[in-house]
């Protein structure tokens, strides 16, 4: 990508931009799920995905700004990452994270995860966890986590049935 990407703690005013990146980044995943689940179940379960995804990311960035970071290139936000810390059990959990589709494939996603792992260590965390999909749409996410060092996984399956 050429220009340097800087990862920095988020600010509340970053929230709307990250909500938009989330919608753009997750669109191919939700569209692929429609093929897998069929129209009827997909519409019932994920028909409002865009609203849900945008509002969960915007709320997290705006209301829990200290649990989020953004990646900037030339002053423009190109990705974001959110997390939770369980101080009692010393576990850092990576939550929503995404990279603007126009900037994917250049290492930003992996750099964000590595940034979070360093931050978890600095906060005294002893383990990191993240939940992701086993579907083809999440192949880039799985590759990114493995590249960042996540080597142990518990696969799980979510079933759907139209009634
Ligand atoms: C997952 C995501 C954040 C990765 O961002 P990125 O900046 O493209 O990631 P990187 O460039 O660091 O790529 C990491 C690895 O993913 C793999 N990868 C990247 N794009 C890929 C693609 N389109 N298809 C398959 N693998 C891909 C590559 O193996 C890459 O490793 P490499 O550099 O050794 O080839 C981005 O694809 C995204 O926003 N996806 C939608 C949201 C999402 O799935 N978030 C995670 C939810 S759990």
């Amino acid at each position: 990508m050429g220009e340097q990407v800087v990862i920095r703690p988020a600010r509340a005013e970053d929230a709307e931009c990250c909500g938009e990146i989330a919608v753009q980044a997750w669109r191919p995943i939700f569209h692929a799920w429609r093929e897998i689940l069929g129209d009827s179940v997909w519409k019932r379960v994920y028909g409002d995905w865009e609203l849900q995804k945008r509002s969960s990311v915007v709320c997290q960035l705006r209301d829990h700004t200290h649990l989020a970071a953004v990646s900037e290139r030339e002053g423009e936000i190109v990705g974001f990452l959110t997390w939770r810390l369980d101080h009692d059990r010393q576990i850092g959990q990576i939550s929503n994270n995404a990279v603007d589709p126009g900037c994917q494939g250049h290492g930003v996603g992996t750099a964000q995860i590595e940034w979070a792992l360093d931050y978890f260590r600095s906060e005294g965390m002893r383990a990191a966890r993240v939940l992701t999909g086993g579907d083809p749409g999440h192949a880039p996410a799985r590759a990114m986590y493995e590249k960042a060092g996540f080597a142990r996984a518990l696969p799980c399956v979510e079933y759907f049935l139209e009634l």
Side-chain angles (χ1 to χ4, degrees):
M1 226 175 3
E3 307 84 359
Q4 202 176 351
V5 171
V6 175
I7 302 175
R8 63 158 173 83
R11 300 191 279 262
E13 60 266 30
D14 302 328
E16 298 292 335
C17 178
C18 293
E20 179 60 23
I21 288 173
V23 168
Q24 299 307 331
W26 262 280
R27 178 165 285 122
I29 293 175
F30 281 100
H31 283 190
W33 285 1
R34 191 172 188 149
E35 297 295 312
I36 295 168
L37 300 180
D39 269 355
S40 173
V41 167
W42 184 87
K43 273 191 200 155
R44 186 159 300 284
V45 182
Y46 295 118
D48 61 349
W49 75 267
E50 197 167 321
L51 189 70
Q52 296 293 341
K53 181 55 80 177
R54 187 187 299 276
S55 69
S56 91
V57 169
V58 169
C59 288
Q60 177 142 26
L61 267 283
R62 196 188 50 208
D63 302 338
H64 306 281
T65 314
H66 61 294
L67 300 175
V70 300
S71 294
E72 267 184 350
R73 188 190 55 179
E74 296 186 323
E76 298 282 324
I77 295 175
V78 295
F80 70 93
L81 170 103
T82 67
W83 63 83
R84 291 195 296 270
L85 297 181
D86 179 339
H87 286 283
D88 292 338
R89 295 193 296 157
Q90 297 173 299
I91 302 167
Q93 172 134 10
I94 291 169
S95 311
N96 279 313
N97 67 93
V99 173
D100 185 320
C103 300
Q104 290 177 6
H106 297 281
V108 178
T110 306
Q112 291 187 147
I113 302 303
E114 288 170 346
W115 187 97
L117 297 178
D118 283 345
Y119 178 72
F120 291 172
R121 286 186 193 98
S122 76
E123 288 290 308
M125 300 297 115
R126 303 298 300 271
R129 70 192 291 187
V130 64
L131 187 67
T132 193
D135 56 300
H138 280 97
R142 293 192 301 276
M144 171 184 73
Y145 295 129
E146 287 171 23
K147 201 173 173 191
F150 283 90
R152 303 172 196 203
L154 290 175
C156 69
V157 182
E158 187 171 17
Y159 287 106
F160 295 89
L161 170 66
E162 189 172 355
L163 303 176

